[in-house]
Amino acid sequence: MTRLPPVVLILGLNILLLSCLTGTSAYLERRGLLPAYAEEKLVSSLHSFATFRQTSDSWDPMLDAVKQLGSGSKDTVYEELFFRRKVKFQYPLTSLLPVWAALHVLNSTVWVLRILKLLSWLAVLVYVACVTALPIIQWPPTKGSGPSRFLICALIGLAGLLFYPMMRAFGLGQLQTIINAVFAVAFLCYMKGREKVAGLLIGCLVLLKPQYFLVILWGILRKRYTFAGTAFICVTAGFVVAVALFGASNCLDYLRVLSFISKHGESYYANQSVNGLLNRMLMNGDNVAWISNSFPAYNPIVYAGSLIAAVLLILLSVVLGHYAPGKGSVADFALVTIACTVASPEAWEHHYGVMLPIFVWIFTSNFKIEARSWFLLFVSYVLIANDWSITNLTAAHPPFNILQSYVLVGALLLALVLQRLIRCPPPTEPTPNSAGIGTDEPGTPMSAEFGPLSPARLYGRPWRAI
């Protein structure tokens, strides 16, 4: 009897659970027993993708910002939009460079919106293709029986289309759709040892979301100078162009926005950060309704708790990991990515779209993982991959409304498993492929590029087992 590989068990069980969750939600909706804020939203997100429709959660504020920059106003764009008109434009001006160029060339907001929609739709396809390619890259040529690789890749591709954070990003018309896809490509490149390309892509992500600058600092500390140097050059070039086009005062005023957000955050349940958790526990703001023109009131407990949690996450992923045997590995790279997401005061559900490549990489690798770690991975995946809006029924009942922070809990569980991986000793010999596709032949591991690999060198290669 062939033993099913972990990737099949976890993804298969999740699809079964997702079917039950969706069916239960649909039944309760028909009976009128489920409020709108607790309804499951994956189906509507999939429908948006299939029909090529989305809202403009990111696109409208970005276009408003470009128009404001061209208005000749003496006030900065953030002063006018964010502080005066209460438009939640929270991106750095470097993120506007492609939109600014497209709008000046086409001179049509309608066509720019169509291009952005097309790019985000294609980004979903790139994202699914990358996660599907992960096991193909990891699995060496093997002998023996096992489940069809094609069927496993098809299952992973289906999981990509059903991964709620990514599909939610597309349905909302979010820049995060493109960010998730770019990260998936960067993760793939880092696995393959193509650090220049990975660094260039991470640099592009920093221009879109400054939180990823932590990855560059991580690269410097890990002495991945090619990776960090390429990323830093990309960021510097983008910032210089933005200053030249929009002015230094406009660009630097973004720091005031970041300061404001860190002091307030969001209570809305989709904010899956420590800040969101504390705001909800203290009932500081509306948990279940999105307020587009205001933030929760400043609360010193929320601010202090969020700051302490962010510092601890950064220490855990960047500083303490520097002394682990697996520093600089793919597991280490994945851990700092989680820290970038969770440590932010606003970590929306769709921001966790970067987690699927990490999950698939672990599921299809040849790590020696204990049963309890597989259980933690399963729980983590189930919490992150699905829409658990039904937990909003606990919104008015602290401390039970901690259940609204299901994605945050899943991310912390994943970080715990990654911490264990980077601290594991390197294998002394090839181990059976955990994807269940046969086993390696005994003998010295080989690399077509580097020849025979000692345990230390094997451990150092990010695309091999740690």
Side-chain angles (χ1 to χ4, degrees), residues 1-5 9 145-147 436:
M1 181 177 180
T2 302
R3 183 168 61 91
L4 288 175
L9 286 173
S145 60

Side-chain angles (χ1 to χ4, degrees), residues 194-207:
R194 302 181 184 276
E195 295 192 4
K196 285 186 179 180
V197 180
L200 177 64
L201 294 174
I202 292 298
C204 292
L205 291 185
V206 175
L207 296 176

Side-chain angles (χ1 to χ4, degrees), residues 131-170:
V131 296
T132 304
L134 281 169
I136 298 174
I137 292 172
Q138 292 201 106
W139 294 337
T142 57
K143 298 178 181 179
S145 60
S148 168
R149 294 188 176 193
F150 174 79
L151 292 178
I152 292 179
C153 289
L155 179 62
I156 292 172
L158 177 62
L161 287 174
L162 296 177
F163 198 67
Y164 177 69
M166 185 59 170
M167 301 315 297
R168 182 62 171 166
F170 176 84

Side-chain angles (χ1 to χ4, degrees), residues 13-31:
L13 287 174
N14 182 72
I15 290 175
L16 179 62
L17 177 63
L18 176 60
S19 300
C20 296
L21 181 64
T22 305
T24 302
S25 179
Y27 172 77
L28 294 176
E29 287 177 39
R30 286 197 302 269
R31 296 293 299 272

Side-chain angles (χ1 to χ4, degrees), residues 214 274 304-320 339 342-344:
L214 180 63
V274 175
S306 302
L307 187 61
I308 291 171
V311 171
L312 290 176
L313 281 166
I314 293 172
L315 286 175
L316 180 70
S317 61
V318 178
V319 180
L320 297 183
V342 177
S344 173

